[in-house]
Amino acid sequence: MMNSLNPTASLYQVPTFGLWYDFRNPAQWRKPLGSLYRESVDQVVWAESLGFGSAWLSEHHFAEDDYASSPLVVAAAIGTRTKTMRIGTNIIVAGLHEPMRLAEDAAALSFLTDNRFELGLGLGYHEKEFAAFGRKVKQRPSLLEDAIAVIRHAWAGTGEAYEGKRFSVPALPVTPLPETPPRILIGAQSPVGIDRAARLADGVITLQNAHFTDYQQSIERHGKNVDDARIYASQWTVVADDPERTWAEVGEHALYQMNKYIEWGSFEGPDQPSSFDSPQHLLDAGAYKLMDASMAIDELVTMATEFPQIRDFHYWAQLPGESVESGSARIQYIADKVIPEVTRKLGG
């Protein structure tokens, strides 16, 4: 009898490989932002030709390092220049947006991309953002859940009114309706958040590989088919031919990235880390991993075999302040050495 948490090989899928963007531009490495955006979009188009299957766009506001605040605009730019690549948000802070407007914008992206857009939503955590948008951090769960309810209601096309706890919809149709509603994903890193993704969303965006089992168990607890579950796995890994040498070049960029997330309040609970004092400290704590192609292939194939619900592995295209050219070297390496072998071993 098949164990529902370990489906047979016939259910295996070859996950897509993706790139993750935040367009940060820290002062110590500042470059012209227009060039960074345009070169990054060019990079995505090039990566599609190499075999990458997804692009993921993050959101923050009022950041001194220009962290991207308009991921849907960038998604449209990428969508019109790519042909097969799926484009998603990882993530949009749902509570900062008017959900009917999100429903409309996501529908437009679905039209532009021939249904290649995935709407990834999350709670958010940066109190400054919530205050600026007139929202309360303590209301994040109900803001997110209400936003999802409103978006789904809008896409249902009934034209009926809907009254939620935080948001409502008047008795007016939201048009145009998407031909195929985009999947709604939830980015989560806590047990409650992962359970929410299993309960409300079409998939989960994980920040730690250790959360895969938690999600599977939550899917079963809510009476859903684990074979239909979808995991989109964010990877905090530098994959390179000589990863130690590459880390010597990019470790300070990773250190800046992680310490900013800590400063903004990304990590919650009793186990939240204090700031890291060196790139080596990041590695020692397991916040980042270094791998060559052989190591990456073994880990990815093992994860995809044990968890066939994984639909995507995605990596930071470049770390904050790192040049696009430097990030492209790792993209080329993954395309040449990792993607073909993972695909072969998984029977793709």
Side-chain angles (χ1 to χ4, degrees):
M1 183 169 121
M2 185 179 76
N3 184 331
S4 60
L5 292 186
N6 291 284
T8 60
S10 63
L11 295 175
Y12 294 164
Q13 298 186 48
V14 179
T16 53
F17 282 75
L19 300 175
W20 193 5
Y21 290 88
D22 59 17
F23 300 98
R24 290 194 194 196
N25 195 23
Q28 60 266 49
W29 301 296
R30 193 167 296 280
K31 55 178 67 70
L33 263 175
S35 297
L36 175 61
Y37 272 69
R38 292 189 296 271
E39 289 173 13
S40 296
V41 172
D42 288 343
Q43 183 187 63
V44 175
V45 177
W46 167 70
E48 182 183 51
S49 73
L50 298 179
F52 280 82
S54 66
W56 298 90
L57 306 165
S58 288
E59 175 197 40
H60 273 296
H61 300 269
F62 317 112
E64 64 273 15
D65 62 7
D66 296 320
Y67 200 120
S69 58
S70 296
L72 296 181
V73 173
V74 181
I78 292 172
T80 57
R81 293 193 55 197
T82 53
K83 292 180 171 55
T84 60
M85 180 176 274
R86 300 203 67 82
I87 302 151
T89 48
N90 179 8
I91 49 86
I92 282 180
V93 183
L96 305 182
H97 295 266
E98 166 51 58
M100 281 194 295
R101 188 63 177 147
L102 278 179
E104 293 172 333
D105 288 344
L109 279 163
S110 182
F111 298 139
L112 283 171
T113 62
D114 193 21
N115 303 318
R116 290 183 285 123
F117 178 68
E118 317 255 9
L119 181 61
L121 303 173
L123 285 176
Y125 49 81
H126 200 185
E127 189 163 359
K128 179 168 68 174
E129 295 176 329
F130 281 80
F133 281 93
R135 308 283 165 77
K136 297 179 180 179
V137 169
K138 68 179 182 180
Q139 295 174 348
R140 292 176 302 161
S142 56
L143 286 166
L144 172 59
E145 296 200 15
D146 230 18
I148 292 172
V150 167
I151 292 168
R152 292 202 189 279
H153 181 81
W155 288 343
T158 64
E160 297 174 357
Y162 172 84
E163 190 68 34
K165 186 175 182 179
R166 306 295 174 194
F167 298 110
S168 60
V169 177
L172 294 169
V174 175
T175 60
L177 292 176
E179 297 160 332
T180 301
R183 292 190 187 95
I184 295 178
L185 315 176
I186 290 180
Q189 58 177 327
S190 70
V192 172
I194 291 167
D195 186 79
R196 181 183 294 112
R199 176 167 52 90
L200 295 178
D202 302 311
V204 67
I205 302 172
T206 58
L207 293 178
Q208 296 180 34
N209 298 337
H211 292 154
F212 298 161
T213 298
D214 296 337
Y215 180 64
Q216 288 183 323
Q217 292 173 345
S218 292
I219 286 286
E220 287 200 325
R221 187 164 54 249
H222 289 290
K224 298 183 177 182
N225 187 346
V226 73
D227 298 338
D228 296 330
R230 308 180 72 88
I231 297 172
Y232 300 75
S234 309
Q235 300 298 295
W236 299 78
T237 306
V238 169
V239 181
D241 181 48
D242 187 339
E244 287 76 18
R245 183 182 64 192
T246 299
W247 186 250
E249 299 167 353
V250 305
E252 290 294 334
H253 300 268
L255 179 67
Y256 170 90
Q257 177 194 51
M258 195 62 65
N259 282 342
K260 274 298 178 186
Y261 278 127
I262 293 169
E263 177 187 326
W264 291 351
S266 175
F267 301 93
E268 299 178 294
D271 298 325
Q272 59 184 298
S274 56
S275 62
F276 294 93
D277 55 21
S278 70
Q280 185 60 46
H281 190 188
L282 279 180
L283 298 180
D284 293 342
Y288 257 95
K289 294 186 290 186
L290 304 183
M291 294 186 182
D292 61 16
S294 177
M295 297 165 64
I297 291 163
D298 287 346
E299 180 179 74
L300 295 171
V301 169
T302 297
M303 287 192 293
T305 301
E306 184 176 357
F307 302 98
Q309 295 78 22
I310 297 173
R311 308 305 173 98
D312 184 88
F313 295 111
H314 50 274
Y315 299 81
W316 289 107
Q318 41 265 334
L319 297 166
E322 182 188 6
S323 70
V324 174
E325 293 78 11
S326 176
S328 290
R330 292 197 301 281
I331 291 170
Q332 183 77 66
Y333 181 73
I334 292 172
D336 290 345
K337 303 295 185 180
V338 179
I339 295 178
E341 193 63 11
V342 170
T343 301
R344 184 188 69 79
K345 289 194 171 190
L346 291 175

